[in-house]
Structures are given as structure tokens and as C-alpha cells.
């Protein structure tokens, strides 16, 4: 069987679809040789590479409440985000259990974005928990991670589905999973935060569409979760089921790709 790299795109709570997709692969004895993720794809990918099973992950995801990952910052203007990053980092660390890039079960990498340099940062070594936290630090929502003169936020700004970085890990072929899909019409925008998030989503989608066409995974799959919002925890169960369905319905195609 060929060595394949699995690209897991960003997507907030819609990213639970990645867990369902991995469950479908597991049931068919298929393991990726490399994983590269962005934002929620980075969290799911890192946890899977660290040894968590899809069953472990979905059980944990269903228990998460907003207060487990969000601590409102008393000085959001100065710290550049409405929520402090420490609580998110602690939650990620709880599941990675001291793992490093070097001792993961599956080679893993993730991407964040340096706001100061204006460029994508590819994390392949260093502090695993901080790298994943940086990749998942949604602008405005979470304060950026300050790291060696860099100001790091969610890699989805420029690499919502980081295909080229997965290929650079050494994969014979790349399978990419996009859980966000096309931008859908929205009935209303309630406040400033909603406005900024909506504008960011549209910009990220535009960049991601161009890059998916330019970089071309060997197989790119999009999850159908309808209008389920990526910022609502109640989306988790629906997303998981949609991801599992995506995996099972494409398993023959994936097996055919992986033949020697």
C-alpha cells in the first residue's frame, strides 16, 4: 500500500467531521502515513497521531463546553483577542499528554500564520501543544500566540486546507478533507465579532478555493453538513456523522488510490 498523507482542513466544530472520517478509515484498516492539519484539523490530527482513537475523540468532543476552552480576556483590545489563549492551550495539552512532534505514532505537522511577517508558518518540530494552539487561534476570538518574535494565529488565513505541506512531508499521494466547503448565504450579522468572523470566512474561502485548484490533492473530499455553523458546539454530532458517511462512501475509491 502506498504511503499517503492526510490533510485535515480547518472548520471549528464542523471539524468533528474529521473524527468521523478517521473512524471510517480505521474500520477498513487504513492508516495515514502522514497527517497535516489546520486549526480544528490540527487538533484532531495531533490527537490521532498521539494515539487517541476516533471513539476517544468524539466522546471528548461531545463533552466540551465553551467554558472548557474560552476564558474571556479583561483586556481584549490590548491582547488582540476576546478570549485568552491559555485555556485553549491547556485543553489541547490535556489530550496530547506530553507528546512531542518526535514521539507521535504518526508523523504530524500543522500550519499557523504569522501576522507580523505576513506568511504561513509550517510547524514540524518544537513545542507540539503551542503549535496546535497557534494553528487553532481564530483571529479576534483567541489572542494570538507570541512566539520568538512572531504573532501566530489560525493558519486558515492562508492555508485552510494545507495540501502542499502534507505533500512536503513525503507522501506518495495526498487525500484532503475540507469540512467548510462553499460560503453559504447568512440571514443576519448580529454584532462586530460576527461581522469580522464572516468577513474572514469569506476571505479564507476565496484563498482556499484558489489553492485547492492550484495545489491539487490526489483526492479532495468535501463534507456535506448543510448550514451547520462552525462556531456552535451542537454541530459536533452532526459533523461527526457526516464525516463518517463521507469516509464510508468513498472507501473503495480510497483503497483503489492506495494500491501499489
Amino acid at each position: 500500500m502506498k504511503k499517503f498523507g492526510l490533510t485535515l482542513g480547518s472548520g471549528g466544530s464542523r471539524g468533528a467531521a474529521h473524527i468521523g472520517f478517521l473512524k471510517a478509515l480505521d474500520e477498513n484498516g487504513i492508516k495515514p502515513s502522514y497527517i497535516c492539519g489546520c486549526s480544528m484539523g490540527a487538533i484532531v490530527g495531533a490527537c490521532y497521531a498521539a494515539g487517541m482513537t476516533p471513539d476517544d475523540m468524539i466522546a471528548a468532543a461531545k463533552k466540551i463546553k465553551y467554558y472548557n476552552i474560552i476564558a474571556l480576556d479583561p483586556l481584549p483590545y490590548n491582547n488582540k483577542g476576546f478570549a485568552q489563549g491559555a485555556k485553549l492551550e491547556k485543553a489541547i495539552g490535556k489530550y496530547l499528554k506530553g507528546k512531542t512532534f518526535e514521539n507521535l505514532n504518526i508523523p504530524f505537522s500543522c500550519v499557523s500564520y504569522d501576522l507580523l511577517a505576513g506568511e504561513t508558518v509550517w510547524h514540524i518540530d518544537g513545542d507540539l501543544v503551542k503549535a496546535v494552539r497557534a494553528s487553532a487561534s481564530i483571529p479576534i476570538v483567541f489572542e494570538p500566540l507570541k512566539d520568538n518574535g512572531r504573532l501566530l494565529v489560525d493558519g486558515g488565513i492562508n492555508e485552510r486546507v494545507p495540501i502542499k505541506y502534507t505533500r512536503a512531508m513525503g507522501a506518495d499521494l495526498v487525500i484532503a478533507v475540507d469540512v467548510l466547503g462553499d460560503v453559504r448565504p447568512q440571514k443576519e450579522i448580529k454584532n462586530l465579532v460576527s461581522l469580522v468572523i464572516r468577513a474572514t470566512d469569506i476571505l479564507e474561502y476565496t484563498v482556499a478555493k484558489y489553492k485547492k485548484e492550484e495545489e491539487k490533492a490526489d483526492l479532495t473530499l468535501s463534507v456535506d453538513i448543510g448550514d451547520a455553523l462552525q462556531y456552535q458546539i451542537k454541530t459536533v454530532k452532526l459533523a461527526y456523522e457526516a464525516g463518517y458517511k463521507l469516509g464510508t462512501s468513498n472507501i473503495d475509491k480510497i483503497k483503489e488510490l492506495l494500491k501499489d
Side-chain angles (χ1 to χ4, degrees):
M1 185 178 288
K2 296 175 183 174
K3 291 185 177 181
F4 82 98
L6 182 60
T7 304
L8 302 179
S10 59
S13 56
R14 289 172 65 105
H18 293 314
I19 304 174
F21 187 79
L22 286 166
K23 172 73 172 177
L25 294 186
D26 269 10
E27 287 182 347
N28 286 273
I30 299 172
K31 289 278 188 185
S33 300
Y34 309 93
I35 301 173
C36 182
C38 179
S39 198
M40 184 55 74
I43 293 175
V44 172
C47 288
Y48 187 73
M52 285 187 76
T53 67
D55 288 341
D56 293 335
M57 287 190 281
I58 192 58
K62 287 178 178 178
K63 293 177 183 177
I64 289 176
K65 307 297 181 186
Y66 285 116
Y67 60 77
N68 296 137
I69 56 175
I70 291 179
L72 293 181
D73 197 314
L75 299 170
Y77 179 79
N78 290 336
N79 292 331
K80 308 173 187 68
F82 283 96
Q84 298 171 345
K87 202 162 191 177
L88 175 62
E89 189 172 315
K90 183 178 179 181
I92 293 168
K94 173 184 175 182
Y95 296 109
L96 294 182
K97 297 179 178 178
K99 290 283 188 175
T100 67
F101 278 100
E102 290 73 26
N103 65 11
L104 292 169
N105 297 346
I106 299 170
F108 167 81
S109 69
C110 62
V111 294
S112 67
Y113 193 81
D114 182 359
L115 291 175
L116 299 180
E119 62 185 19
T120 297
V121 176
W122 185 28
H123 300 274
I124 56 175
D125 54 23
D127 190 314
L128 176 63
V129 174
K130 287 189 181 299
V132 174
R133 178 232 154 151
S135 184
S137 292
I138 303 167
I140 302 297
V141 178
F142 292 103
E143 64 176 330
L145 174 69
K146 296 177 182 177
D147 178 59
N148 295 320
R150 302 181 299 189
L151 197 63
L152 306 179
V153 295
D154 193 320
I157 285 181
N158 198 46
E159 295 290 347
R160 195 175 86 180
V161 187
I163 295 167
K164 74 175 183 180
Y165 294 97
T166 314
R167 201 175 294 282
M169 294 180 76
D172 296 321
L173 58 89
V174 173
I175 297 172
V177 182
D178 181 7
V179 303
L180 288 176
D182 296 340
V183 172
R184 293 172 178 266
Q186 193 166 308
K187 291 182 180 179
E188 62 177 341
I189 294 176
K190 296 181 179 180
N191 50 46
L192 179 60
V193 174
S194 297
L195 187 150
V196 173
I197 288 174
R198 176 65 173 171
T200 301
D201 286 347
I202 292 169
L203 289 170
E204 287 183 2
Y205 162 73
T206 304
V207 173
K209 182 179 179 182
Y210 167 77
K211 291 206 167 188
K212 281 193 292 182
E213 292 171 354
E214 181 187 58
E215 296 171 4
K216 290 286 185 187
D218 296 273
L219 178 63
T220 299
L221 300 171
S222 294
V223 182
D224 182 8
I225 320 176
D227 294 324
L229 297 177
Q230 61 170 311
Y231 304 107
Q232 293 182 334
I233 289 178
K234 65 182 181 181
T235 299
V236 165
K237 184 175 183 292
L238 178 65
Y240 171 80
E241 291 170 352
Y244 179 75
K245 181 179 179 181
L246 180 75
T248 54
S249 62
N250 284 280
I251 206 69
D252 289 339
K253 188 184 296 183
I254 292 169
K255 287 180 177 178
E256 187 64 30
L257 272 176
L258 297 180
K259 282 183 180 178
D260 289 326

